[in-house]
Amino acid sequence: MTEYAVRGAPIDQVQPFGFDGGPIGCALLHGFTAAPKEMRPLGEFLAARNLTVRGVRYAGHGTCPADLARTTYHDWIASAQAAVDELRDRCRRVWAIGLSLGGLIGLHLAAQRQVHGVIALAPPIYPTDRRLWVAQFLWRVKPYSVKGPADLHDAAALAEHADYAHFPLRAVAQLHALTRRVRREVAAIDAPLLIIVARHDRVVQLRSADFILKRARSAVKEKFIVERGGHIITEDYDKDAAFEAIAAFLNRHAN
């Protein structure tokens, strides 16, 4: 695992992206083992509405699983923070919009008051696979585990979804550690907050949204549920409904 090993996309499709627009900036944050490609449809949607957009690629992502195995969640946060810092220099207000792991990182940034608002799609506060915590004990003896196909109901989108075919278990342990940290940090969030979840998500329990909304101190906090599709909301059947909900929330609260 030393060469490019992202399934579903050639290397030119997994790069960070950006669109310059108006004074509201959005840092788009992808999921675990995935790439900015899964956030690009949302990025193009927001750019068409005159928002400034940066699609982040975290350290260890979009190359090969061995690169991911050498990183920690602090490295992933640093990748997102760099984009936020650049947007803060350019824009009047900066929002974090993240899917899955990206949702966790967005919530962390909001708790640290690094962004003015946060939209988290399918944040894995409570993952459905309760074996994830075991990775912290296994990774030294079993470095990798086979990763099944992404939770995408749209077959065409699934065929083109960019992610790794293997989990580095050390990175899974880091994801678990970040999840535990964000659970503690949610109570510090006071920025406008939108949680979007998919009713038929097989990766994240729906109660994750209620946990966040109950504990966050935000004066403005809402939940939106998509009825079709799975965990990768930005690429699945109801992505347009999710995008419209995001745009409407930004229109009401980004200023």
Side-chain angles (χ1 to χ4, degrees):
M1 296 185 185
T2 58
E3 299 179 354
Y4 180 74
V6 177
R7 61 184 175 186
I11 193 169
D12 62 302
Q13 292 185 6
V14 301
Q15 304 304 317
F17 61 87
F19 305 106
D20 291 338
I24 305 301
C26 298
L28 302 191
L29 311 174
H30 63 77
F32 182 62
T33 75
K37 182 176 185 286
E38 68 183 6
M39 302 302 289
R40 192 175 183 101
L42 175 58
E44 293 173 350
F45 176 90
L46 296 175
R49 286 150 181 80
N50 197 38
L51 281 84
T52 295
V53 173
R54 294 293 181 269
V56 177
R57 188 180 72 186
Y58 315 133
H61 288 74
T63 55
C64 66
D67 287 342
L68 179 56
R70 289 189 285 267
T71 64
T72 70
Y73 77 76
H74 300 283
D75 299 315
W76 313 335
I77 291 172
S79 300
Q81 184 70 62
V84 167
D85 290 344
E86 193 244 320
L87 286 170
R88 288 171 70 99
D89 289 340
R90 176 184 295 269
C91 299
R92 181 164 48 84
R93 310 281 283 182
V94 178
W95 283 59
I97 306 176
L99 171 67
S100 194
L101 165 61
L104 290 179
I105 293 175
L107 293 168
H108 166 77
L109 293 172
Q112 299 295 316
R113 292 179 171 78
Q114 296 299 306
V115 292
H116 298 96
V118 58
I119 299 174
L121 295 84
I125 292 292
Y126 289 108
T128 57
D129 189 345
R130 298 181 180 179
R131 297 172 298 174
L132 294 182
W133 70 275
V134 178
Q136 62 189 307
F137 308 110
L138 287 183
W139 69 266
R140 289 183 176 84
V141 295
K142 184 181 180 182
Y144 297 93
S145 178
V146 174
K147 180 178 182 290
D151 182 24
L152 267 162
H153 295 190
D154 183 329
L158 177 60
E160 298 182 351
H161 178 68
D163 66 353
Y164 292 151
H166 294 81
F167 284 123
L169 290 188
R170 182 175 183 269
V172 173
Q174 288 294 307
L175 174 61
H176 178 67
L178 176 59
T179 300
R180 294 180 62 188
R181 175 173 179 172
V182 173
R183 284 180 193 160
R184 298 190 300 268
E185 292 179 332
V186 165
I189 297 174
D190 57 10
L193 168 66
L194 172 63
I195 307 295
I196 300 179
V197 291
R199 190 174 301 280
H200 302 292
D201 192 327
R202 296 194 297 266
V203 177
V204 173
Q205 298 180 50
L206 288 180
R207 67 187 179 113
S208 297
D210 296 329
F211 175 94
I212 296 165
L213 293 171
K214 180 179 179 180
R215 286 162 177 77
R217 295 189 291 111
S218 308
V220 174
K221 48 186 176 179
E222 298 178 13
K223 177 172 69 174
F224 182 81
I225 300 176
V226 298
E227 298 295 337
R228 299 185 306 158
H231 183 63
I232 313 298
I233 296 170
T234 55
E235 294 182 326
D236 222 327
Y237 286 127
D238 271 355
K239 62 180 181 295
D240 292 341
F243 294 176
E244 291 292 348
I246 290 169
F249 193 80
L250 289 169
N251 284 338
R252 292 195 301 270
H253 305 297
N255 290 315

